[in-house]
Amino acid sequence: MQRINFKKFNSVGYFCLGASAVYCLIFIIYSFYWLISPYPNEYREFANIDITRMFLEGKNPYDAVNIPPFFYVYGFVVPLLTSWLYSLISFTHIDLLLFQRFIALFGTILCGWISAKEVKNQTNSIVYAFLTFSITLIVGWSMGLCVALPNTLGVFVMLLTLYKAKRIKTITDICEVSFLTILSFFIKQYFVIVCVPVFIWLLFRSKKQALYYTLFSIFCFICAASFINYLYPAFFSIAIVHHLAVASHSLSHLIKQLAITGLFYFPLLLLFLLIEYNRYKNISGKVIISFNLRKDRNSPLIKLSEMPDIYAISVCVYFIVILRL
């Protein structure tokens, strides 16, 4: 483990450490606040507890006989995983709601860990990695840090997908990224959108890799969907058809959500824009883009003067998706 040499720090380094400490303190305080709440905070928490209990009792919540009155509208992976883990520690008599919130908390910490790991690899700075970790915790808190929902574990799988995609070298790596992509769907349906930035980024790298990723992902989804439809007959009706049937669109609600999201994430978005601006400004006076339509499958389809960052592509894609959702 790398030691922090405080003697080499400048004012920016000390500021980053101070901000990280404050963020971590806020995270701990709000974690405690969420964990001690004895009741479900909303309908979705109640539905999550309900379906997890059904898994614990050996029932199939997606069988027409057992469908609960309150639909759990997300994927089954997190409740199923939670029920299995809870059965291993049932002798402790810990409350199921509290345990599920601990799982959500752990997911937030995993998100912070993988984000810090990527920043450490890029900057070789443990200070920036620590700042990234603490900022990720705060972002997790804003999204319902310790709520019994699949949000945080789903975001971790998305980040892990991007992290692995950036390091693709072999066909086995592509298969692994495809598996993680499809897994994200069965955690929380619209998290499968991670496939878009991965596919776009691979077009800048290799046409063959982009094609293999698409084919493996489709194959993986068809196999998983066939097996799950047999095992859980009502799953897709609840997870997809029900979602589309009750979806509504309100311009005022959109504006309100964008305002709240924009105010909270504005510093991060500004930082992202400044980093990308400086990155491409230092390359050359112009950003040259071209398309390679030759039959050479190992070459990229789209060429830039510098390979774009997969996380930058993700930010752009997710912003467009947020406007639609």
Side-chain angles (χ1 to χ4, degrees):
M1 184 176 180
Q2 181 180 345
R3 290 186 177 183
I4 300 177
N5 188 351
F6 291 97
K7 294 180 180 180
K8 293 184 178 180
F9 278 13
N10 53 22
S11 56
V12 175
Y14 282 114
F15 174 79
C16 290
L17 277 182
S20 302
V22 172
Y23 284 156
C24 287
L25 181 60
I26 294 173
F27 173 78
I28 292 170
I29 292 172
Y30 276 92
S31 298
F32 182 74
Y33 169 78
W34 280 105
L35 289 172
I36 63 174
S37 177
Y39 305 109
N41 291 292
E42 54 170 294
Y43 145 75
R44 291 176 301 171
E45 269 201 311
F46 180 83
N48 190 12
I49 297 167
D50 195 31
I51 192 174
T52 304
R53 284 204 176 109
M54 293 184 73
F55 278 127
L56 278 168
E57 294 169 0
K59 297 179 181 177
N60 185 345
Y62 297 105
D63 193 318
V65 178
N66 298 323
I67 292 178
F70 298 100
F71 285 165
Y72 177 76
V73 295
Y74 300 128
F76 62 87
V77 170
V78 173
L80 185 62
L81 174 65
T82 304
S83 66
W84 177 71
L85 293 174
Y86 187 77
S87 65
L88 297 178
I89 62 157
S90 57
F91 62 90
T92 62
H93 303 292
I94 185 174
D95 182 73
L96 181 57
L97 174 61
L98 178 61
F99 181 71
Q100 287 184 311
R101 287 176 174 167
F102 270 120
I103 295 292
L105 176 64
F106 182 65
T108 304
I109 294 172
L110 286 176
C111 291
W113 167 76
I114 196 168
S115 300
K117 184 178 177 65
E118 182 63 79
V119 169
K120 177 65 169 58
N121 290 338
Q122 293 294 320
T123 66
N124 198 31
S125 169
I126 196 168
V127 175
Y128 291 152
F130 187 34
L131 180 63
T132 302
F133 177 77
S134 62
I135 288 176
T136 306
L137 298 186
I138 293 296
V139 172
W141 157 69
S142 74
M143 298 305 295
L145 165 67
C146 295
V147 178
L149 291 175
N151 299 357
T152 56
L153 281 178
V155 171
F156 169 68
V157 171
M158 291 178 73
L159 290 173
L160 183 61
T161 304
L162 296 173
Y163 183 87
K164 293 286 188 181
K166 193 173 181 179
R167 291 157 177 81
I168 286 177
K169 293 181 180 179
T170 65
I171 291 182
T172 303
D173 295 333
I174 299 176
C175 291
E176 185 178 353
V177 173
S178 297
F179 171 78
L180 289 171
T181 301
I182 303 307
L183 178 64
S184 65
F185 173 84
F186 293 105
I187 293 177
K188 196 170 183 179
Q189 296 90 308
Y190 43 79
F191 282 2
V192 76
I193 197 64
V194 72
C195 69
V196 177
V198 171
F199 176 74
I200 293 174
W201 186 77
L202 287 175
L203 290 177
F204 288 97
R205 184 173 178 175
S206 165
K207 287 182 282 188
K208 183 171 71 173
Q209 289 183 351
L211 177 62
Y212 284 170
Y213 171 70
T214 303
L215 294 177
F216 288 157
S217 296
I218 292 173
F219 176 75
C220 187
F221 182 78
I222 290 174
C223 293
S226 301
F227 177 72
I228 289 166
N229 190 57
Y230 171 77
L231 198 64
Y232 302 138
F235 171 74
F236 287 102
S237 297
I238 294 173
I240 297 179
V241 179
H242 175 266
H243 258 44
L244 296 176
V246 301
S248 60
H249 305 280
S250 167
L251 181 60
S252 61
H253 183 63
L254 168 66
I255 294 173
K256 180 181 177 181
Q257 284 198 317
L258 286 178
I260 294 172
T261 305
L263 285 173
F264 190 89
Y265 293 109
F266 177 74
L268 289 177
L269 290 174
L270 181 61
L271 181 62
F272 162 74
L273 291 174
L274 287 173
I275 290 172
E276 289 304 307
Y277 171 76
N278 286 319
R279 182 165 171 259
Y280 281 100
K281 185 182 72 171
N282 293 331
I283 298 171
S284 63
K286 294 182 179 179
V287 176
I288 302 173
I289 183 171
S290 61
F291 294 89
N292 179 14
L293 302 178
R294 292 178 299 174
K295 293 183 179 181
D296 181 12
R297 293 184 298 173
N298 291 314
S299 61
L301 178 65
I302 309 171
K303 287 185 176 181
L304 272 181
S305 45
E306 182 175 332
M307 183 75 175
D309 186 75
I310 192 170
Y311 301 105
I313 294 174
S314 299
V315 171
C316 297
V317 169
Y318 296 156
F319 179 76
I320 296 172
V321 171
I322 286 174
L323 289 177
R324 180 65 182 90
L325 290 179

PDB file of all heavy atoms in Angstrom, residues 150-180:
ATOM      1  N   PRO A 150     -31.979  -1.710  -5.496  1.00  0.00           N
ATOM      2  CA  PRO A 150     -30.805  -2.229  -6.211  1.00  0.00           C
ATOM      3  C   PRO A 150     -29.914  -1.152  -6.814  1.00  0.00           C
ATOM      4  O   PRO A 150     -28.969  -1.479  -7.533  1.00  0.00           O
ATOM      5  CB  PRO A 150     -31.442  -3.080  -7.313  1.00  0.00           C
ATOM      6  CG  PRO A 150     -32.717  -2.367  -7.620  1.00  0.00           C
ATOM      7  CD  PRO A 150     -33.212  -1.849  -6.298  1.00  0.00           C
ATOM      8  N   ASN A 151     -30.192   0.121  -6.534  1.00  0.00           N
ATOM      9  CA  ASN A 151     -29.486   1.222  -7.204  1.00  0.00           C
ATOM     10  C   ASN A 151     -27.975   1.104  -7.128  1.00  0.00           C
ATOM     11  O   ASN A 151     -27.279   1.150  -8.143  1.00  0.00           O
ATOM     12  CB  ASN A 151     -29.908   2.568  -6.596  1.00  0.00           C
ATOM     13  CG  ASN A 151     -31.395   2.832  -6.759  1.00  0.00           C
ATOM     14  OD1 ASN A 151     -32.092   2.048  -7.374  1.00  0.00           O
ATOM     15  ND2 ASN A 151     -31.863   3.923  -6.210  1.00  0.00           N
ATOM     16  N   THR A 152     -27.442   0.993  -5.913  1.00  0.00           N
ATOM     17  CA  THR A 152     -25.993   1.098  -5.740  1.00  0.00           C
ATOM     18  C   THR A 152     -25.252  -0.113  -6.306  1.00  0.00           C
ATOM     19  O   THR A 152     -24.195   0.043  -6.924  1.00  0.00           O
ATOM     20  CB  THR A 152     -25.646   1.283  -4.253  1.00  0.00           C
ATOM     21  OG1 THR A 152     -26.197   0.201  -3.493  1.00  0.00           O
ATOM     22  CG2 THR A 152     -26.224   2.585  -3.724  1.00  0.00           C
ATOM     23  N   LEU A 153     -25.786  -1.304  -6.114  1.00  0.00           N
ATOM     24  CA  LEU A 153     -25.145  -2.482  -6.705  1.00  0.00           C
ATOM     25  C   LEU A 153     -25.232  -2.434  -8.228  1.00  0.00           C
ATOM     26  O   LEU A 153     -24.317  -2.870  -8.926  1.00  0.00           O
ATOM     27  CB  LEU A 153     -25.793  -3.762  -6.173  1.00  0.00           C
ATOM     28  CG  LEU A 153     -25.348  -4.219  -4.778  1.00  0.00           C
ATOM     29  CD1 LEU A 153     -26.100  -5.463  -4.356  1.00  0.00           C
ATOM     30  CD2 LEU A 153     -23.852  -4.488  -4.739  1.00  0.00           C
ATOM     31  N   GLY A 154     -26.345  -1.895  -8.737  1.00  0.00           N
ATOM     32  CA  GLY A 154     -26.481  -1.752 -10.185  1.00  0.00           C
ATOM     33  C   GLY A 154     -25.473  -0.781 -10.763  1.00  0.00           C
ATOM     34  O   GLY A 154     -24.877  -1.041 -11.812  1.00  0.00           O
ATOM     35  N   VAL A 155     -25.260   0.347 -10.074  1.00  0.00           N
ATOM     36  CA  VAL A 155     -24.266   1.322 -10.533  1.00  0.00           C
ATOM     37  C   VAL A 155     -22.870   0.712 -10.474  1.00  0.00           C
ATOM     38  O   VAL A 155     -22.042   0.945 -11.371  1.00  0.00           O
ATOM     39  CB  VAL A 155     -24.339   2.610  -9.684  1.00  0.00           C
ATOM     40  CG1 VAL A 155     -23.169   3.533 -10.015  1.00  0.00           C
ATOM     41  CG2 VAL A 155     -25.654   3.325  -9.921  1.00  0.00           C
ATOM     42  N   PHE A 156     -22.602  -0.092  -9.436  1.00  0.00           N
ATOM     43  CA  PHE A 156     -21.296  -0.747  -9.359  1.00  0.00           C
ATOM     44  C   PHE A 156     -21.066  -1.660 -10.556  1.00  0.00           C
ATOM     45  O   PHE A 156     -19.975  -1.671 -11.141  1.00  0.00           O
ATOM     46  CB  PHE A 156     -21.176  -1.547  -8.061  1.00  0.00           C
ATOM     47  CG  PHE A 156     -19.980  -2.451  -8.026  1.00  0.00           C
ATOM     48  CD1 PHE A 156     -18.698  -1.920  -7.966  1.00  0.00           C
ATOM     49  CD2 PHE A 156     -20.131  -3.837  -8.081  1.00  0.00           C
ATOM     50  CE1 PHE A 156     -17.580  -2.759  -7.960  1.00  0.00           C
ATOM     51  CE2 PHE A 156     -19.034  -4.672  -8.074  1.00  0.00           C
ATOM     52  CZ  PHE A 156     -17.750  -4.133  -8.008  1.00  0.00           C
ATOM     53  N   VAL A 157     -22.078  -2.429 -10.938  1.00  0.00           N
ATOM     54  CA  VAL A 157     -21.938  -3.327 -12.092  1.00  0.00           C
ATOM     55  C   VAL A 157     -21.721  -2.510 -13.369  1.00  0.00           C
ATOM     56  O   VAL A 157     -20.924  -2.895 -14.236  1.00  0.00           O
ATOM     57  CB  VAL A 157     -23.169  -4.243 -12.218  1.00  0.00           C
ATOM     58  CG1 VAL A 157     -23.131  -5.024 -13.529  1.00  0.00           C
ATOM     59  CG2 VAL A 157     -23.228  -5.213 -11.050  1.00  0.00           C
ATOM     60  N   MET A 158     -22.402  -1.367 -13.493  1.00  0.00           N
ATOM     61  CA  MET A 158     -22.187  -0.504 -14.656  1.00  0.00           C
ATOM     62  C   MET A 158     -20.749   0.019 -14.693  1.00  0.00           C
ATOM     63  O   MET A 158     -20.093   0.001 -15.743  1.00  0.00           O
ATOM     64  CB  MET A 158     -23.169   0.671 -14.612  1.00  0.00           C
ATOM     65  CG  MET A 158     -24.619   0.288 -14.834  1.00  0.00           C
ATOM     66  SD  MET A 158     -25.718   1.721 -14.700  1.00  0.00           S
ATOM     67  CE  MET A 158     -25.355   2.582 -16.223  1.00  0.00           C
ATOM     68  N   LEU A 159     -20.256   0.497 -13.549  1.00  0.00           N
ATOM     69  CA  LEU A 159     -18.880   0.991 -13.490  1.00  0.00           C
ATOM     70  C   LEU A 159     -17.877  -0.121 -13.768  1.00  0.00           C
ATOM     71  O   LEU A 159     -16.871   0.086 -14.452  1.00  0.00           O
ATOM     72  CB  LEU A 159     -18.607   1.601 -12.111  1.00  0.00           C
ATOM     73  CG  LEU A 159     -19.310   2.922 -11.802  1.00  0.00           C
ATOM     74  CD1 LEU A 159     -19.092   3.312 -10.341  1.00  0.00           C
ATOM     75  CD2 LEU A 159     -18.819   4.034 -12.719  1.00  0.00           C
ATOM     76  N   LEU A 160     -18.166  -1.309 -13.250  1.00  0.00           N
ATOM     77  CA  LEU A 160     -17.283  -2.449 -13.486  1.00  0.00           C
ATOM     78  C   LEU A 160     -17.283  -2.820 -14.967  1.00  0.00           C
ATOM     79  O   LEU A 160     -16.236  -3.193 -15.528  1.00  0.00           O
ATOM     80  CB  LEU A 160     -17.746  -3.645 -12.643  1.00  0.00           C
ATOM     81  CG  LEU A 160     -16.877  -4.906 -12.710  1.00  0.00           C
ATOM     82  CD1 LEU A 160     -15.467  -4.621 -12.209  1.00  0.00           C
ATOM     83  CD2 LEU A 160     -17.518  -6.035 -11.885  1.00  0.00           C
ATOM     84  N   THR A 161     -18.446  -2.702 -15.617  1.00  0.00           N
ATOM     85  CA  THR A 161     -18.533  -2.971 -17.051  1.00  0.00           C
ATOM     86  C   THR A 161     -17.645  -2.017 -17.844  1.00  0.00           C
ATOM     87  O   THR A 161     -16.894  -2.435 -18.735  1.00  0.00           O
ATOM     88  CB  THR A 161     -19.989  -2.841 -17.529  1.00  0.00           C
ATOM     89  OG1 THR A 161     -20.831  -3.714 -16.771  1.00  0.00           O
ATOM     90  CG2 THR A 161     -20.113  -3.192 -19.003  1.00  0.00           C
ATOM     91  N   LEU A 162     -17.712  -0.723 -17.515  1.00  0.00           N
ATOM     92  CA  LEU A 162     -16.880   0.269 -18.197  1.00  0.00           C
ATOM     93  C   LEU A 162     -15.402   0.035 -17.909  1.00  0.00           C
ATOM     94  O   LEU A 162     -14.552   0.161 -18.801  1.00  0.00           O
ATOM     95  CB  LEU A 162     -17.286   1.680 -17.763  1.00  0.00           C
ATOM     96  CG  LEU A 162     -18.703   2.121 -18.135  1.00  0.00           C
ATOM     97  CD1 LEU A 162     -19.030   3.463 -17.490  1.00  0.00           C
ATOM     98  CD2 LEU A 162     -18.870   2.209 -19.646  1.00  0.00           C
ATOM     99  N   TYR A 163     -15.104  -0.291 -16.654  1.00  0.00           N
ATOM    100  CA  TYR A 163     -13.719  -0.540 -16.248  1.00  0.00           C
ATOM    101  C   TYR A 163     -13.129  -1.724 -17.012  1.00  0.00           C
ATOM    102  O   TYR A 163     -11.998  -1.667 -17.504  1.00  0.00           O
ATOM    103  CB  TYR A 163     -13.686  -0.810 -14.742  1.00  0.00           C
ATOM    104  CG  TYR A 163     -12.306  -1.011 -14.168  1.00  0.00           C
ATOM    105  CD1 TYR A 163     -11.540   0.076 -13.747  1.00  0.00           C
ATOM    106  CD2 TYR A 163     -11.763  -2.291 -14.038  1.00  0.00           C
ATOM    107  CE1 TYR A 163     -10.270  -0.107 -13.218  1.00  0.00           C
ATOM    108  CE2 TYR A 163     -10.494  -2.479 -13.507  1.00  0.00           C
ATOM    109  CZ  TYR A 163      -9.757  -1.384 -13.099  1.00  0.00           C
ATOM    110  OH  TYR A 163      -8.503  -1.576 -12.580  1.00  0.00           O
ATOM    111  N   LYS A 164     -13.915  -2.808 -17.116  1.00  0.00           N
ATOM    112  CA  LYS A 164     -13.445  -3.999 -17.838  1.00  0.00           C
ATOM    113  C   LYS A 164     -13.375  -3.754 -19.349  1.00  0.00           C
ATOM    114  O   LYS A 164     -12.459  -4.245 -20.029  1.00  0.00           O
ATOM    115  CB  LYS A 164     -14.383  -5.174 -17.547  1.00  0.00           C
ATOM    116  CG  LYS A 164     -14.364  -5.667 -16.108  1.00  0.00           C
ATOM    117  CD  LYS A 164     -13.103  -6.445 -15.810  1.00  0.00           C
ATOM    118  CE  LYS A 164     -13.149  -7.099 -14.442  1.00  0.00           C
ATOM    119  NZ  LYS A 164     -11.909  -7.846 -14.134  1.00  0.00           N
ATOM    120  N   ALA A 165     -14.353  -3.000 -19.869  1.00  0.00           N
ATOM    121  CA  ALA A 165     -14.380  -2.733 -21.309  1.00  0.00           C
ATOM    122  C   ALA A 165     -13.142  -1.960 -21.746  1.00  0.00           C
ATOM    123  O   ALA A 165     -12.594  -2.203 -22.827  1.00  0.00           O
ATOM    124  CB  ALA A 165     -15.638  -1.955 -21.675  1.00  0.00           C
ATOM    125  N   LYS A 166     -12.698  -1.052 -20.902  1.00  0.00           N
ATOM    126  CA  LYS A 166     -11.527  -0.247 -21.222  1.00  0.00           C
ATOM    127  C   LYS A 166     -10.266  -1.097 -21.323  1.00  0.00           C
ATOM    128  O   LYS A 166      -9.279  -0.685 -21.932  1.00  0.00           O
ATOM    129  CB  LYS A 166     -11.354   0.830 -20.150  1.00  0.00           C
ATOM    130  CG  LYS A 166     -10.385   1.924 -20.509  1.00  0.00           C
ATOM    131  CD  LYS A 166     -10.408   3.031 -19.469  1.00  0.00           C
ATOM    132  CE  LYS A 166      -9.453   4.140 -19.840  1.00  0.00           C
ATOM    133  NZ  LYS A 166      -9.478   5.246 -18.851  1.00  0.00           N
ATOM    134  N   ARG A 167     -10.312  -2.298 -20.735  1.00  0.00           N
ATOM    135  CA  ARG A 167      -9.131  -3.161 -20.685  1.00  0.00           C
ATOM    136  C   ARG A 167      -9.308  -4.442 -21.505  1.00  0.00           C
ATOM    137  O   ARG A 167      -8.640  -5.442 -21.253  1.00  0.00           O
ATOM    138  CB  ARG A 167      -8.810  -3.490 -19.224  1.00  0.00           C
ATOM    139  CG  ARG A 167      -8.315  -2.277 -18.462  1.00  0.00           C
ATOM    140  CD  ARG A 167      -8.517  -2.378 -16.966  1.00  0.00           C
ATOM    141  NE  ARG A 167      -7.939  -1.207 -16.300  1.00  0.00           N
ATOM    142  CZ  ARG A 167      -8.564  -0.031 -16.214  1.00  0.00           C
ATOM    143  NH1 ARG A 167      -9.768   0.120 -16.735  1.00  0.00           N
ATOM    144  NH2 ARG A 167      -7.981   0.993 -15.606  1.00  0.00           N
ATOM    145  N   ILE A 168     -10.217  -4.424 -22.457  1.00  0.00           N
ATOM    146  CA  ILE A 168     -10.441  -5.584 -23.311  1.00  0.00           C
ATOM    147  C   ILE A 168      -9.193  -5.909 -24.131  1.00  0.00           C
ATOM    148  O   ILE A 168      -8.630  -5.036 -24.791  1.00  0.00           O
ATOM    149  CB  ILE A 168     -11.641  -5.349 -24.252  1.00  0.00           C
ATOM    150  CG1 ILE A 168     -12.962  -5.450 -23.468  1.00  0.00           C
ATOM    151  CG2 ILE A 168     -11.641  -6.357 -25.397  1.00  0.00           C
ATOM    152  CD1 ILE A 168     -14.194  -5.166 -24.314  1.00  0.00           C
ATOM    153  N   LYS A 169      -8.781  -7.163 -24.072  1.00  0.00           N
ATOM    154  CA  LYS A 169      -7.629  -7.627 -24.861  1.00  0.00           C
ATOM    155  C   LYS A 169      -7.961  -8.899 -25.629  1.00  0.00           C
ATOM    156  O   LYS A 169      -7.456  -9.114 -26.732  1.00  0.00           O
ATOM    157  CB  LYS A 169      -6.423  -7.872 -23.953  1.00  0.00           C
ATOM    158  CG  LYS A 169      -5.842  -6.607 -23.325  1.00  0.00           C
ATOM    159  CD  LYS A 169      -4.633  -6.926 -22.458  1.00  0.00           C
ATOM    160  CE  LYS A 169      -4.047  -5.668 -21.843  1.00  0.00           C
ATOM    161  NZ  LYS A 169      -2.879  -5.963 -20.960  1.00  0.00           N
ATOM    162  N   THR A 170      -8.776  -9.753 -25.048  1.00  0.00           N
ATOM    163  CA  THR A 170      -9.070 -11.045 -25.660  1.00  0.00           C
ATOM    164  C   THR A 170     -10.576 -11.230 -25.817  1.00  0.00           C
ATOM    165  O   THR A 170     -11.381 -10.432 -25.306  1.00  0.00           O
ATOM    166  CB  THR A 170      -8.523 -12.194 -24.792  1.00  0.00           C
ATOM    167  OG1 THR A 170      -9.217 -12.203 -23.526  1.00  0.00           O
ATOM    168  CG2 THR A 170      -7.028 -12.016 -24.536  1.00  0.00           C
ATOM    169  N   ILE A 171     -10.955 -12.305 -26.523  1.00  0.00           N
ATOM    170  CA  ILE A 171     -12.369 -12.626 -26.685  1.00  0.00           C
ATOM    171  C   ILE A 171     -13.003 -12.948 -25.334  1.00  0.00           C
ATOM    172  O   ILE A 171     -14.172 -12.636 -25.083  1.00  0.00           O
ATOM    173  CB  ILE A 171     -12.528 -13.806 -27.664  1.00  0.00           C
ATOM    174  CG1 ILE A 171     -12.160 -13.363 -29.079  1.00  0.00           C
ATOM    175  CG2 ILE A 171     -13.953 -14.349 -27.634  1.00  0.00           C
ATOM    176  CD1 ILE A 171     -12.316 -14.422 -30.132  1.00  0.00           C
ATOM    177  N   THR A 172     -12.232 -13.557 -24.440  1.00  0.00           N
ATOM    178  CA  THR A 172     -12.735 -13.853 -23.094  1.00  0.00           C
ATOM    179  C   THR A 172     -13.125 -12.571 -22.369  1.00  0.00           C
ATOM    180  O   THR A 172     -14.150 -12.516 -21.678  1.00  0.00           O
ATOM    181  CB  THR A 172     -11.668 -14.601 -22.274  1.00  0.00           C
ATOM    182  OG1 THR A 172     -11.296 -15.790 -22.961  1.00  0.00           O
ATOM    183  CG2 THR A 172     -12.205 -14.968 -20.891  1.00  0.00           C
ATOM    184  N   ASP A 173     -12.326 -11.522 -22.554  1.00  0.00           N
ATOM    185  CA  ASP A 173     -12.643 -10.229 -21.940  1.00  0.00           C
ATOM    186  C   ASP A 173     -13.951  -9.665 -22.500  1.00  0.00           C
ATOM    187  O   ASP A 173     -14.766  -9.110 -21.756  1.00  0.00           O
ATOM    188  CB  ASP A 173     -11.514  -9.227 -22.192  1.00  0.00           C
ATOM    189  CG  ASP A 173     -10.217  -9.624 -21.512  1.00  0.00           C
ATOM    190  OD1 ASP A 173     -10.289 -10.322 -20.475  1.00  0.00           O
ATOM    191  OD2 ASP A 173      -9.146  -9.257 -22.011  1.00  0.00           O
ATOM    192  N   ILE A 174     -14.152  -9.818 -23.803  1.00  0.00           N
ATOM    193  CA  ILE A 174     -15.390  -9.335 -24.427  1.00  0.00           C
ATOM    194  C   ILE A 174     -16.592 -10.087 -23.872  1.00  0.00           C
ATOM    195  O   ILE A 174     -17.641  -9.492 -23.581  1.00  0.00           O
ATOM    196  CB  ILE A 174     -15.316  -9.476 -25.964  1.00  0.00           C
ATOM    197  CG1 ILE A 174     -14.160  -8.644 -26.519  1.00  0.00           C
ATOM    198  CG2 ILE A 174     -16.626  -9.054 -26.606  1.00  0.00           C
ATOM    199  CD1 ILE A 174     -13.950  -8.791 -28.015  1.00  0.00           C
ATOM    200  N   CYS A 175     -16.445 -11.407 -23.714  1.00  0.00           N
ATOM    201  CA  CYS A 175     -17.527 -12.214 -23.136  1.00  0.00           C
ATOM    202  C   CYS A 175     -17.857 -11.765 -21.716  1.00  0.00           C
ATOM    203  O   CYS A 175     -19.036 -11.693 -21.330  1.00  0.00           O
ATOM    204  CB  CYS A 175     -17.141 -13.692 -23.136  1.00  0.00           C
ATOM    205  SG  CYS A 175     -17.044 -14.448 -24.766  1.00  0.00           S
ATOM    206  N   GLU A 176     -16.836 -11.447 -20.961  1.00  0.00           N
ATOM    207  CA  GLU A 176     -17.033 -10.997 -19.582  1.00  0.00           C
ATOM    208  C   GLU A 176     -17.779  -9.668 -19.544  1.00  0.00           C
ATOM    209  O   GLU A 176     -18.703  -9.490 -18.744  1.00  0.00           O
ATOM    210  CB  GLU A 176     -15.675 -10.852 -18.892  1.00  0.00           C
ATOM    211  CG  GLU A 176     -15.765 -10.506 -17.410  1.00  0.00           C
ATOM    212  CD  GLU A 176     -14.405 -10.423 -16.753  1.00  0.00           C
ATOM    213  OE1 GLU A 176     -13.392 -10.761 -17.399  1.00  0.00           O
ATOM    214  OE2 GLU A 176     -14.347 -10.004 -15.581  1.00  0.00           O
ATOM    215  N   VAL A 177     -17.412  -8.750 -20.426  1.00  0.00           N
ATOM    216  CA  VAL A 177     -18.086  -7.451 -20.489  1.00  0.00           C
ATOM    217  C   VAL A 177     -19.535  -7.632 -20.943  1.00  0.00           C
ATOM    218  O   VAL A 177     -20.445  -6.970 -20.428  1.00  0.00           O
ATOM    219  CB  VAL A 177     -17.334  -6.490 -21.429  1.00  0.00           C
ATOM    220  CG1 VAL A 177     -18.118  -5.196 -21.630  1.00  0.00           C
ATOM    221  CG2 VAL A 177     -15.955  -6.179 -20.860  1.00  0.00           C
ATOM    222  N   SER A 178     -19.778  -8.525 -21.888  1.00  0.00           N
ATOM    223  CA  SER A 178     -21.139  -8.810 -22.346  1.00  0.00           C
ATOM    224  C   SER A 178     -21.987  -9.368 -21.210  1.00  0.00           C
ATOM    225  O   SER A 178     -23.155  -8.978 -21.037  1.00  0.00           O
ATOM    226  CB  SER A 178     -21.112  -9.802 -23.513  1.00  0.00           C
ATOM    227  OG  SER A 178     -20.448  -9.260 -24.632  1.00  0.00           O
ATOM    228  N   PHE A 179     -21.398 -10.273 -20.429  1.00  0.00           N
ATOM    229  CA  PHE A 179     -22.119 -10.852 -19.289  1.00  0.00           C
ATOM    230  C   PHE A 179     -22.495  -9.765 -18.279  1.00  0.00           C
ATOM    231  O   PHE A 179     -23.633  -9.716 -17.791  1.00  0.00           O
ATOM    232  CB  PHE A 179     -21.263 -11.920 -18.619  1.00  0.00           C
ATOM    233  CG  PHE A 179     -21.828 -12.425 -17.320  1.00  0.00           C
ATOM    234  CD1 PHE A 179     -22.868 -13.345 -17.312  1.00  0.00           C
ATOM    235  CD2 PHE A 179     -21.343 -11.960 -16.106  1.00  0.00           C
ATOM    236  CE1 PHE A 179     -23.415 -13.804 -16.113  1.00  0.00           C
ATOM    237  CE2 PHE A 179     -21.867 -12.419 -14.906  1.00  0.00           C
ATOM    238  CZ  PHE A 179     -22.922 -13.332 -14.914  1.00  0.00           C
ATOM    239  N   LEU A 180     -21.557  -8.871 -17.966  1.00  0.00           N
ATOM    240  CA  LEU A 180     -21.825  -7.793 -17.015  1.00  0.00           C
ATOM    241  C   LEU A 180     -22.902  -6.847 -17.551  1.00  0.00           C
ATOM    242  O   LEU A 180     -23.744  -6.352 -16.792  1.00  0.00           O
ATOM    243  CB  LEU A 180     -20.542  -7.015 -16.732  1.00  0.00           C
ATOM    244  CG  LEU A 180     -19.481  -7.748 -15.902  1.00  0.00           C
ATOM    245  CD1 LEU A 180     -18.179  -6.949 -15.882  1.00  0.00           C
ATOM    246  CD2 LEU A 180     -19.977  -7.988 -14.476  1.00  0.00           C
TER     247      LEU A 180
END
